[in-house]
Amino acid sequence: MDLAPQIVTERLILRGHRATDHDAAVALWSRPEIYQYITGEALGTQDVWMRLLRYSGLWDFLGYGYWAVEHRETGAYIGQMGFADFKRGLVGFDGHYPEGGWMIHPDYAGKGLATEGMAAACAWLDQQQRWDKSFCIIGPDNDASIAVAQKLGYRFVLDTEFSGERTAVYFRQAPQPLS
């Protein structure tokens, strides 16, 4: 059962993950351009499989989660994006808001696809009217993700540490609901 709503943008389809995404996801997580800012190392087949299961489970457990990103023109699986609550225990930050995250295949990077997809994801989150803000964490050297976050309205709040590495926390305030 797929609980993730499908979102269609001009160039993307955000949809629930499928078992058939596994091979493409393994290939994606083997790319240094992907893992250098997230896990620090390539993920093996079992680790990627566990991520796909976790992404699917988020929707049932939290009412939000990660989408598979499909390129509309080619049908290719080109990334993952969405929201989670990973209970990271970040120093100086104790809120449990949806944490935004995104990754786009390097062959499709630099074309505004992460911004396009996450803008649609943020709009979906805002429409739920359950959270007044979301956040993301980004390493200080990840200029591309910092630029995406800023375009989405995320603003720097604090520096902290995660897994022994310096990271920054960015918040995005949801628009006020219309009265």
Side-chain angles (χ1 to χ4, degrees):
M1 179 194 292
D2 189 2
L3 298 175
Q6 181 171 288
I7 299 174
V8 178
T9 71
E10 181 181 341
R11 299 176 291 170
L12 303 172
I13 298 171
L14 307 185
R15 58 165 176 78
H17 282 86
R18 304 174 185 142
T20 54
D21 295 330
H22 185 247
D23 289 345
V26 169
L28 191 60
W29 279 100
S30 72
R31 301 286 299 252
E33 307 97 310
I34 294 296
Y35 67 72
Q36 71 179 333
Y37 295 117
I38 304 170
T39 60
E41 61 186 13
L43 297 182
T45 24
Q46 183 181 19
D47 290 331
V48 172
W49 182 249
M50 297 305 287
R51 275 184 180 268
L52 296 181
L53 295 174
R54 177 173 51 208
Y55 294 157
S56 295
L58 286 168
W59 290 100
D60 185 45
F61 205 70
L62 299 173
Y64 57 87
Y66 267 65
W67 287 273
V69 180
E70 189 176 295
H71 191 266
R72 280 184 69 183
E73 185 177 316
T74 66
Y77 176 95
I78 64 166
Q80 306 163 358
M81 61 180 54
F83 302 95
D85 182 351
F86 292 127
K87 308 248 184 256
R88 295 187 189 276
L90 300 171
V91 175
F93 171 64
D94 62 357
H96 293 288
Y97 303 100
E99 176 184 344
W102 53 88
M103 58 186 257
I104 293 289
H105 192 288
D107 291 350
Y108 294 85
K111 298 174 168 82
L113 295 173
T115 303
E116 179 179 323
M118 277 305 291
C122 286
W124 176 87
L125 189 73
D126 294 343
Q127 289 169 358
Q128 307 314 300
Q129 297 185 355
R130 292 177 49 203
W131 306 275
D132 63 346
K133 63 182 86 167
S134 62
F135 77 99
C136 60
I137 63 171
I138 304 173
D141 298 331
N142 191 345
D143 294 333
S145 280
I146 291 169
V148 169
Q150 290 172 338
K151 289 175 191 171
L152 296 170
Y154 284 94
R155 299 294 173 247
F156 173 80
V157 176
L158 66 99
D159 278 316
T160 188
E161 190 174 292
F162 178 67
S163 295
E165 299 288 329
R166 195 172 135 246
T167 192
V169 177
Y170 293 77
F171 268 102
R172 178 185 173 277
Q173 191 71 40
Q176 296 301 316
L178 298 175
S179 301

